[in-house]
Short mmCIF file of all heavy atoms in Angstrom, two decimals:
data_model
loop_
_atom_site.label_atom_id
_atom_site.label_comp_id
_atom_site.label_asym_id
_atom_site.label_seq_id
_atom_site.Cartn_x
_atom_site.Cartn_y
_atom_site.Cartn_z
N GLY B 322 47.62 10.44 -130.11
CA GLY B 322 47.21 9.91 -128.82
C GLY B 322 45.90 9.15 -128.90
O GLY B 322 45.63 8.30 -128.07
N THR B 323 45.08 9.49 -129.87
CA THR B 323 43.79 8.84 -129.91
C THR B 323 43.67 7.91 -131.11
O THR B 323 42.61 7.37 -131.35
CB THR B 323 42.67 9.88 -130.00
OG1 THR B 323 42.99 10.76 -131.07
CG2 THR B 323 42.56 10.67 -128.71
N ALA B 324 44.75 7.74 -131.85
CA ALA B 324 44.66 6.88 -133.02
C ALA B 324 44.53 5.45 -132.58
O ALA B 324 45.46 4.86 -132.08
CB ALA B 324 45.91 7.05 -133.87
N LYS B 325 43.35 4.91 -132.69
CA LYS B 325 43.13 3.55 -132.21
C LYS B 325 42.08 2.84 -133.02
O LYS B 325 42.04 1.64 -133.05
CB LYS B 325 42.69 3.60 -130.75
CG LYS B 325 41.46 4.46 -130.58
CD LYS B 325 40.81 4.36 -129.24
CE LYS B 325 39.50 5.13 -129.30
NZ LYS B 325 39.12 5.84 -128.18
N GLY B 326 41.21 3.58 -133.69
CA GLY B 326 40.01 2.96 -134.25
C GLY B 326 40.17 2.36 -135.62
O GLY B 326 39.20 2.05 -136.27
N ALA B 327 41.44 2.22 -136.12
CA ALA B 327 41.61 1.81 -137.50
C ALA B 327 40.97 0.45 -137.76
O ALA B 327 40.41 0.23 -138.83
CB ALA B 327 43.09 1.78 -137.85
N ASP B 328 41.05 -0.48 -136.81
CA ASP B 328 40.51 -1.80 -137.09
C ASP B 328 39.22 -2.07 -136.32
O ASP B 328 38.91 -3.20 -136.00
CB ASP B 328 41.56 -2.88 -136.80
CG ASP B 328 42.17 -2.69 -135.42
OD1 ASP B 328 41.76 -1.71 -134.75
OD2 ASP B 328 43.02 -3.49 -135.02
N SER B 329 38.48 -1.04 -136.01
CA SER B 329 37.18 -1.27 -135.42
C SER B 329 36.15 -0.40 -136.13
O SER B 329 36.49 0.62 -136.71
CB SER B 329 37.20 -0.94 -133.92
OG SER B 329 37.39 0.43 -133.74
N ILE B 330 34.90 -0.84 -136.10
CA ILE B 330 33.87 -0.04 -136.73
C ILE B 330 32.77 0.23 -135.73
O ILE B 330 32.59 -0.50 -134.77
CB ILE B 330 33.26 -0.75 -137.98
CG1 ILE B 330 32.81 -2.16 -137.62
CG2 ILE B 330 34.23 -0.75 -139.11
CD1 ILE B 330 31.94 -2.77 -138.67
N ARG B 331 32.05 1.28 -135.98
CA ARG B 331 30.99 1.68 -135.08
C ARG B 331 29.67 1.12 -135.60
O ARG B 331 29.36 1.27 -136.78
CB ARG B 331 30.92 3.19 -135.10
CG ARG B 331 30.80 3.78 -133.74
CD ARG B 331 30.93 5.26 -133.88
NE ARG B 331 32.02 5.73 -133.05
CZ ARG B 331 32.55 6.92 -133.16
NH1 ARG B 331 32.10 7.75 -134.06
NH2 ARG B 331 33.51 7.29 -132.38
N VAL B 332 28.93 0.47 -134.77
CA VAL B 332 27.66 -0.12 -135.20
C VAL B 332 26.56 0.36 -134.25
O VAL B 332 26.75 0.34 -133.04
CB VAL B 332 27.74 -1.67 -135.15
CG1 VAL B 332 26.43 -2.28 -135.58
CG2 VAL B 332 28.87 -2.18 -135.99
N PRO B 333 25.45 0.80 -134.77
CA PRO B 333 24.37 1.23 -133.88
C PRO B 333 23.90 0.07 -133.01
O PRO B 333 23.80 -1.07 -133.48
CB PRO B 333 23.25 1.64 -134.84
CG PRO B 333 23.89 1.83 -136.16
CD PRO B 333 25.10 0.95 -136.19
N ALA B 334 23.61 0.36 -131.75
CA ALA B 334 23.27 -0.69 -130.79
C ALA B 334 22.03 -1.47 -131.23
O ALA B 334 21.93 -2.68 -131.02
CB ALA B 334 23.06 -0.09 -129.41
N GLU B 335 21.08 -0.77 -131.87
CA GLU B 335 19.85 -1.50 -132.21
C GLU B 335 20.09 -2.58 -133.24
O GLU B 335 19.38 -3.58 -133.29
CB GLU B 335 18.71 -0.54 -132.63
CG GLU B 335 19.01 0.37 -133.76
CD GLU B 335 19.51 1.73 -133.27
OE1 GLU B 335 20.20 1.80 -132.23
OE2 GLU B 335 19.24 2.72 -133.94
N ARG B 336 21.14 -2.38 -134.07
CA ARG B 336 21.44 -3.44 -135.04
C ARG B 336 21.95 -4.68 -134.32
O ARG B 336 21.67 -5.81 -134.73
CB ARG B 336 22.49 -2.96 -136.03
CG ARG B 336 21.86 -2.28 -137.20
CD ARG B 336 22.83 -2.16 -138.34
NE ARG B 336 22.68 -0.83 -138.92
CZ ARG B 336 23.53 -0.29 -139.74
NH1 ARG B 336 24.60 -0.93 -140.11
NH2 ARG B 336 23.31 0.90 -140.22
N LEU B 337 22.70 -4.46 -133.26
CA LEU B 337 23.19 -5.60 -132.49
C LEU B 337 22.02 -6.30 -131.81
O LEU B 337 21.98 -7.52 -131.73
CB LEU B 337 24.20 -5.13 -131.44
CG LEU B 337 25.51 -4.60 -132.00
CD1 LEU B 337 26.42 -4.21 -130.86
CD2 LEU B 337 26.18 -5.66 -132.86
N ASP B 338 21.06 -5.50 -131.33
CA ASP B 338 19.89 -6.10 -130.71
C ASP B 338 19.14 -6.96 -131.73
O ASP B 338 18.68 -8.06 -131.42
CB ASP B 338 18.95 -5.02 -130.15
CG ASP B 338 19.58 -4.30 -128.98
OD1 ASP B 338 20.55 -4.84 -128.43
OD2 ASP B 338 19.11 -3.21 -128.63
N GLU B 339 19.04 -6.43 -132.94
CA GLU B 339 18.38 -7.17 -134.00
C GLU B 339 19.10 -8.49 -134.26
O GLU B 339 18.48 -9.55 -134.38
CB GLU B 339 18.41 -6.34 -135.29
CG GLU B 339 17.07 -5.89 -135.79
CD GLU B 339 17.24 -4.89 -136.91
OE1 GLU B 339 17.75 -5.29 -137.98
OE2 GLU B 339 16.90 -3.71 -136.72
N LEU B 340 20.42 -8.38 -134.35
CA LEU B 340 21.23 -9.58 -134.58
C LEU B 340 20.99 -10.60 -133.48
O LEU B 340 20.81 -11.79 -133.74
CB LEU B 340 22.71 -9.18 -134.64
CG LEU B 340 23.71 -10.31 -134.84
CD1 LEU B 340 23.51 -10.97 -136.19
CD2 LEU B 340 25.13 -9.80 -134.72
N MET B 341 20.95 -10.11 -132.25
CA MET B 341 20.74 -11.02 -131.12
C MET B 341 19.36 -11.69 -131.23
O MET B 341 19.23 -12.87 -130.94
CB MET B 341 20.83 -10.21 -129.83
CG MET B 341 21.08 -11.05 -128.61
SD MET B 341 22.72 -11.79 -128.66
CE MET B 341 22.47 -13.15 -127.56
N ASP B 342 18.36 -10.92 -131.64
CA ASP B 342 17.02 -11.50 -131.82
C ASP B 342 17.05 -12.63 -132.84
O ASP B 342 16.48 -13.69 -132.63
CB ASP B 342 16.04 -10.42 -132.31
CG ASP B 342 15.50 -9.61 -131.15
OD1 ASP B 342 15.77 -9.99 -130.00
OD2 ASP B 342 14.81 -8.60 -131.41
N ARG B 343 17.73 -12.35 -133.97
CA ARG B 343 17.81 -13.36 -135.02
C ARG B 343 18.50 -14.62 -134.51
O ARG B 343 18.09 -15.73 -134.79
CB ARG B 343 18.57 -12.84 -136.24
CG ARG B 343 17.96 -11.67 -136.93
CD ARG B 343 16.72 -12.07 -137.72
NE ARG B 343 15.99 -10.89 -138.09
CZ ARG B 343 15.12 -10.27 -137.28
NH1 ARG B 343 14.88 -10.74 -136.08
NH2 ARG B 343 14.50 -9.19 -137.69
N VAL B 344 19.58 -14.41 -133.77
CA VAL B 344 20.30 -15.57 -133.23
C VAL B 344 19.38 -16.33 -132.29
O VAL B 344 19.36 -17.56 -132.28
CB VAL B 344 21.60 -15.12 -132.52
CG1 VAL B 344 22.24 -16.29 -131.80
CG2 VAL B 344 22.57 -14.53 -133.52
#
Side-chain angles (χ1 to χ4, degrees):
Chain B
T323 51
K325 56 169 187 217
D328 50 359
S329 66
I330 52 167
R331 225 172 237 166
V332 180
E335 56 266 33
R336 271 196 222 166
L337 292 182
D338 292 344
E339 245 170 66
L340 178 64
M341 199 67 202
D342 277 352
R343 297 287 166 277
V344 172

